[in-house]
Amino acid sequence: MKLSMPRFDQAPVLVVGDVMLDRYWHGGTSRISPEAPVPVVKVEQIEDRPGGAANVALNIAALGAPAALVGVTGEDEACQSLTDSLAAAGVQAHFQRIEHQPTIVKLRVMSRHQQLLRMDFEEAFETDADALLKDVERLLAGVKVLVLSDYGKGALKNHQALIQAARRRGIPVLADPKGKDFKIYRGASLITPNLGEFEVIVGRCADEADLVAKGAELMRSLELDALLVTRGEHGMTLLRPDQAALHLPARAREVFDVTGAGDTVISTLAAALAAGAELPQAVALANLAASIVVAKLGTACVSAPELRRAIQREEGSGRGTMTVEQLLTVVEDARAQGEKIVFTNGCFDILHAGHVTYLEQARAQGDRLIVAVNDDASVSRLKGPGRPINTVDRRMAVLAGLEAVDWVVCFSENTPESLLVQVRPDVLVKGGDYGVDQVVGAELVRAWGGDVRILGLVENSSTTAIVEKIRKA
């Protein structure tokens, strides 16, 4: 299955559900309490993160999709922390604030990246279901997918009214279910229980065939369009009526913390569907996103650059020859990781030892090396009749095979100035005996704060000399 990055910026999603604050107290431990056989944590840092439905909305926004959130909170400091964090991430939060009830807070005490204790501060909310429905109906006009993030804390009391409100408008409804009664999700487009939640409803599954059979019956009884069962280290299984089951293996190389993994799955799935992806591709993206988030500590998000890089690794497109559009995408991702971009250009007609040494030196100037190659017509204009010896696709393929080279792109003008403006490299390098001021594009690069560097050439190594030697022979 080929994966690609959807246009998340055109994929508005509305999340409705149980909002909570995940609070972390971090500190070192060096002794045991004299009062009880427990470690003493000297709290040095307090960190707040949106949790529950708020984490789902935050994940959607982290992918670059417009996200709105409807939920229930108290009128307290925890609510203000949530509001500030969500606003900073661009999430439109619409909270029903109940003055006499506290916002749900899950407090985790952490030491050396390990969770020592979790304390939950929560009461089931006395939600005004009619008011919440009105908020949702008002917001549905501007979204493409509705997500019900149900943690069983009381925010969702009228599941059917919410589902029908969306379906009447042709908006798909995804639900992350909880509890022992899945009938409340009847008519949803898709639900995403984990295996434990699924088996509470249908009974223990002896094997995959049993899971598929019981899933098909559940879809029929609940009138679902699809069912996605997340299965931890066994990946996930997508079921659709009258279609073969799609089993996706787990992608995680290292599992550090599974907190919020389900939120990441449904948020990526919702954003991808809202962006127009087909369901199997959206599920595959969600599976890939989950593999990223479980390698992080605590409630965490997957950013668009992280997901794009994972897709590139899956598709084998993280290096090599690229179009200008592809190059700009990977450069953006590299910058998001704090990497320094180095740029060089040339004809590279017959690759020789001088080129290899020069490109190795160029790569050492930063973290990523772009080699821009003149196309055939521009080489002919610059070098004269009979050149290039090798066509541009062959020249690019040879360059892409070098360990020092990350990305190879071609340009048709005599100089790469227009490409430089688009890429805006941190370092422009050139080999030769001329000064920095003679390098094409030097003024442009220095104008945005970049460096221009001249590297030495290997003596007695030139394409022109090789061509002449062959001709004489």
Side-chain angles (χ1 to χ4, degrees):
M1 182 188 303
K2 185 172 179 58
L3 296 181
S4 61
M5 192 72 171
R7 287 294 305 272
F8 288 124
D9 61 328
Q10 300 177 6
V13 179
L14 173 61
V15 180
V16 185
D18 295 298
V19 172
M20 57 195 74
L21 180 69
D22 285 338
R23 178 161 285 167
Y24 296 84
W25 288 358
H26 299 272
T29 57
S30 59
R31 62 192 179 94
I32 300 298
S33 170
E35 303 165 359
V38 294
V40 175
V41 179
K42 184 178 184 299
V43 177
E44 298 165 339
Q45 178 188 2
I46 298 176
E47 180 184 14
D48 287 352
R49 302 181 189 178
N55 185 44
V56 175
L58 196 65
N59 268 270
I60 291 167
L63 291 172
L69 171 65
V70 174
V72 184
T73 68
E75 185 70 73
D76 52 18
E77 172 270 337
C79 173
Q80 190 59 51
S81 179
L82 277 170
T83 302
D84 293 344
S85 296
L86 292 167
V91 176
Q92 298 179 29
H94 305 268
F95 291 153
Q96 183 180 130
R97 303 189 183 196
I98 301 176
E99 188 173 350
H100 62 278
Q101 287 189 269
T103 300
I104 296 172
V105 175
K106 296 185 181 297
L107 172 61
R108 297 169 175 89
V109 180
M110 313 291 296
S111 183
R112 299 179 183 177
H113 303 295
Q114 297 293 324
Q115 185 177 148
L116 302 183
L117 178 67
R118 188 179 111 174
M119 294 175 281
D120 291 359
F121 303 87
E122 64 177 71
E123 299 175 15
F125 280 108
E126 297 174 4
T127 305
D128 185 338
D130 292 336
L132 187 139
L133 177 59
K134 287 181 181 179
D135 282 342
V136 171
E137 288 180 325
R138 176 172 53 85
L139 295 167
L140 280 174
V143 302
K144 294 183 178 179
V145 171
L146 171 66
V147 175
L148 302 183
S149 180
D150 194 353
Y151 277 78
K153 306 301 182 185
L156 296 176
K157 293 183 180 294
N158 51 350
H159 300 72
Q160 280 300 298
L162 295 168
I163 291 170
Q164 295 309 316
R167 297 306 294 263
R168 282 195 300 270
R169 294 167 172 80
I171 297 172
V173 180
L174 311 186
D176 188 0
K178 289 293 182 293
K180 298 180 180 180
D181 181 13
F182 279 13
K183 296 185 183 69
I184 56 178
Y185 308 108
R186 184 185 303 277
S189 308
L190 178 145
I191 63 175
T192 61
N194 61 40
L195 183 59
E197 294 163 341
F198 178 71
E199 290 185 326
V200 166
I201 303 300
V202 303
R204 184 180 178 279
C205 297
D207 50 30
E208 285 189 348
D210 194 21
L211 182 150
V212 170
K214 290 177 176 176
E217 175 57 27
L218 184 64
M219 285 190 292
R220 185 199 61 76
S221 65
L222 297 182
E223 301 173 14
L224 304 174
D225 296 335
L227 169 67
L228 179 65
V229 182
T230 57
R231 303 166 57 198
E233 69 273 17
H234 299 296
M236 53 182 65
T237 296
L238 173 65
L239 302 176
R240 291 164 290 171
D242 304 320
Q243 296 193 51
L246 176 62
H247 301 289
L248 295 175
R251 296 289 187 185
R253 296 177 181 176
E254 179 181 5
V255 177
F256 191 79
D257 192 340
V258 297
T259 304
D263 295 340
T264 298
V265 168
I266 199 167
S267 59
T268 307
L269 184 59
L273 291 174
E278 296 295 325
L279 183 55
Q281 282 72 27
V283 169
L285 286 171
N287 190 39
L288 198 55
S291 73
I292 299 170
V293 80
V294 296
K296 300 183 179 185
L297 176 64
T299 307
C301 292
V302 175
S303 67
E306 285 177 312
L307 183 58
R308 187 180 291 117
R309 288 164 74 95
I311 293 171
Q312 291 164 357
R313 287 193 297 269
E314 288 287 308
E315 300 300 316
S317 59
R319 290 168 53 94
T321 61
M322 296 193 168
T323 64
V324 173
E325 183 179 16
Q326 290 171 329
L327 176 65
L328 296 178
T329 298
V330 296
V331 166
E332 177 188 350
D333 293 342
R335 283 213 169 92
Q337 300 296 315
E339 295 177 336
K340 181 185 288 188
I341 308 300
V342 183
F343 183 105
T344 192
N345 65 280
C347 299
F348 299 98
D349 193 2
I350 297 178
L351 201 67
H352 52 68
H355 287 139
V356 174
T357 300
Y358 165 72
L359 292 173
E360 288 174 346
Q361 293 172 352
R363 179 64 167 76
Q365 308 305 308
D367 301 300
R368 296 283 192 167
L369 175 61
I370 300 169
V371 179
V373 182
N374 291 83
D375 72 359
D376 294 344
S378 62
V379 173
S380 294
R381 291 194 298 269
L382 294 169
K383 300 293 185 180
R387 299 287 298 274
I389 304 298
N390 292 298
T391 59
V392 67
D393 57 333
R394 293 184 177 183
R395 289 182 279 132
M396 291 175 71
V398 173
L399 286 164
L402 297 179
E403 184 178 359
V405 178
D406 291 288
W407 306 306
V408 185
V409 65
C410 78
F411 61 97
S412 57
E413 300 86 356
N414 287 353
T415 72
E417 285 191 336
S418 63
L419 185 57
L420 281 168
V421 171
Q422 294 180 78
V423 175
R424 296 175 67 89
D426 302 295
V427 183
L428 171 63
V429 300
K430 199 70 178 174
D433 298 326
Y434 41 85
V436 170
D437 292 336
Q438 296 174 294
V439 176
V440 173
E443 290 185 5
L444 288 171
V445 174
R446 287 185 295 191
W448 59 67
D451 292 333
V452 181
R453 300 172 187 173
I454 303 299
L455 306 181
L457 293 176
V458 175
E459 294 184 3
N460 302 319
S461 291
S462 79
T463 300
T464 301
I466 292 172
V467 171
E468 287 303 314
K469 185 175 182 179
I470 293 172
R471 283 175 175 165
K472 289 178 180 179

